[in-house]
Every structure is written in C-alpha cells, then in structure tokens.
Amino acid sequence: MSVTSRYREAWEGFWREAPEEPGAVFWDADPAVTAARHLAFFEPRLVDAGLPLIDLGCGNGTQTRFLADRFPHVIGTDLAAAALDHARRADPAGQATYRQLDAAEKGEAEALHAELGDANVYMRGVLHQCEPGDRQPLVDGIAALLGDRGRAFLVELSEAARPVLGTLVQGSDGPPPKLAPVFRHGIAPGEVADDAVPVYLGAAGLTVLASGDLPLTTTEFLPEGTRIELPSRWFLAGREI
C-alpha cells in the first residue's frame, strides 16, 4: 500500500463520519474569517482573475462556495470522494464544480491542466497534513496546475502552531471534541518548517512572490470561550513573467 493510499483511506474515513452541519469540522470556519481574509492578499496579485480557480483540498466546500461567488469558474478538488459528497450536498445550486484529484500524482495534475489550461490555486492547511514523502510531489502538482500564468495562495501552519496544538492535545480532558476525530483517523498534523515551504516551491520551479503571517482560524473554542486560532504563514507563488 502506498503512502498516498493510506492517506486517502484516512481522509475517506474522516469525511464519512463528519457531521453535515456547518462548523462541525475543526477547520471549517466561516469564510468571513478565512477565505475572505486571504483574498485581500491573493486577488490583487493575480495575473488573470479570469483563470479557473482550483480550491485544492476543498473538503466539504465551505470556502469553495464563497470563492465561486467571486470568480467565474471555481473547481473544488479533494483526495477523498466522501469529502466531495459533502461538498455537493451543500451546494445544490451548483455554484462550483467538484472533482476528485490526487495532486501529489503529477500525472493527474497535468491532465487537469491539459483540460483547463493555466489555473489559480487556493490551498489552506493541506501541506502540513501530508506525509513527508508526499509534500514535494504535491507542490510539483500545484506547479503543473498553475502553468505559466497561474498563481497559488498557500496557507500553512507555522512552527509556532506546534506547541499550541500540543497544549490542546495534552489537556486534562484530551483534545477538544472537534479536533479529536482528526487524530482518531490518523491525520495528525505534521510539522513543516517555516523555511521548508519556499524550498518546496523553488524545487517545483515556482517563485515566492509575497508572504506573511495570518492565523488559521478554527471552529473550536477554549473552555473560557476564546476561539482557537493557530499561527500560520501564507505564500503567494508562481512563475515570474
């Protein structure tokens, strides 16, 4: 069984059990505090906002539907068919389209690029959840999707998130209820060094055009009522034109 096969099965299991209601999944925060914040850094730097926009690792499609209100052609992609089932049920009007994609298999990414042409990519919190051996292939797949004119906006947990997660997991009552299923299905977030993401991008032939810090907002709260936000970094990348 390949690394990707284990990863796929973990995500299928997670999404088959995930509740339907909005905000029930740990990272399924309202777009007002996620994709809307990101667009302020992403949209003005696009070479062509009319290119197809791929929400890579779309899950149940909460951010995808928001993006589909702002871009003409949005495709939500995910490794797990069960996640896409959630996304389609939540989008009966078909604001976006959804399809299964293993972007770490470069051939799949290249085939989608051949179909769509150059595309912009939005990806939130996917790289750090990959097995280490899949990280460079995933970024290579993103580069294939971008082509010459596409831009990628990636948001990933920073190194500073690790002690925050450690405190949450090691609490006297165990992980918060919405975080516990992530660990139960073997999708525990891995550590990606802050300086590793530009290295992955460079190895894929991409240039970091801008970067910065933003919290990765979750749907979970501490006992005193404070929303859990995890330190993260964002990167805008593409080929220099």
Side-chain angles (χ1 to χ4, degrees):
M1 182 184 291
S2 71
V3 170
T4 298
S5 295
R6 291 196 298 272
Y7 184 61
R8 186 194 302 269
E9 290 178 7
W11 279 110
E12 292 287 4
F14 175 86
W15 282 111
R16 280 195 297 268
E17 292 184 11
E20 295 281 348
E21 60 265 24
V25 173
F26 183 67
W27 54 81
D28 189 32
D30 189 286
V33 294
T34 48
R37 285 185 184 177
H38 300 151
L39 276 184
F41 301 96
F42 181 35
E43 194 169 17
R45 294 181 166 95
L46 295 177
V47 174
D48 184 352
L51 295 178
L53 175 63
I54 298 171
D55 182 7
L56 188 56
C58 69
N60 61 3
T62 298
Q63 311 307 317
T64 319
R65 295 189 297 278
F66 173 84
L67 294 167
D69 282 337
R70 287 149 182 82
F71 295 94
H73 184 195
V74 175
I75 306 100
T77 69
D78 203 278
L79 182 66
L84 298 172
D85 290 341
H86 276 270
R88 292 186 181 105
R89 286 193 296 268
D91 188 7
Q95 288 176 277
T97 57
Y98 303 92
R99 59 196 299 168
Q100 194 167 14
L101 177 71
D102 181 358
E105 289 291 337
K106 195 174 180 183
E108 290 192 28
E110 289 173 340
L112 185 55
H113 179 265
E115 176 185 336
L116 299 176
D118 291 358
N120 296 313
V121 171
Y122 174 75
M123 189 176 83
R124 184 174 67 104
V126 174
L127 193 64
H128 75 270
Q129 293 172 341
C130 289
E131 297 280 357
D134 277 346
R135 290 172 187 161
Q136 187 63 60
L138 173 60
V139 178
D140 292 344
I142 292 171
L145 293 170
L146 298 184
D148 293 326
R149 293 173 55 78
R151 292 288 182 261
F153 189 83
L154 314 180
V155 182
E156 292 297 332
L157 295 184
S158 68
E159 293 175 46
R162 186 175 181 83
V164 178
L165 283 167
T167 299
L168 293 174
V169 172
Q170 295 165 16
S172 58
D173 296 324
K178 293 179 185 178
L179 184 58
V182 179
F183 288 91
R184 188 171 68 250
H185 286 280
I187 316 173
E191 182 176 351
V192 179
D194 292 344
D195 58 2
V197 179
V199 173
Y200 291 135
L201 291 165
L206 302 176
T207 299
V208 175
L209 304 169
S211 63
D213 296 298
L214 276 177
L216 196 151
T217 305
T218 78
T219 62
E220 190 62 277
F221 294 83
L222 296 172
E224 67 270 21
T226 303
R227 182 189 292 272
I228 296 172
E229 293 187 333
L230 301 175
S232 69
R233 297 273 298 163
W234 62 265
F235 302 88
L236 181 85
R239 291 183 173 85
E240 293 189 286
I241 296 175

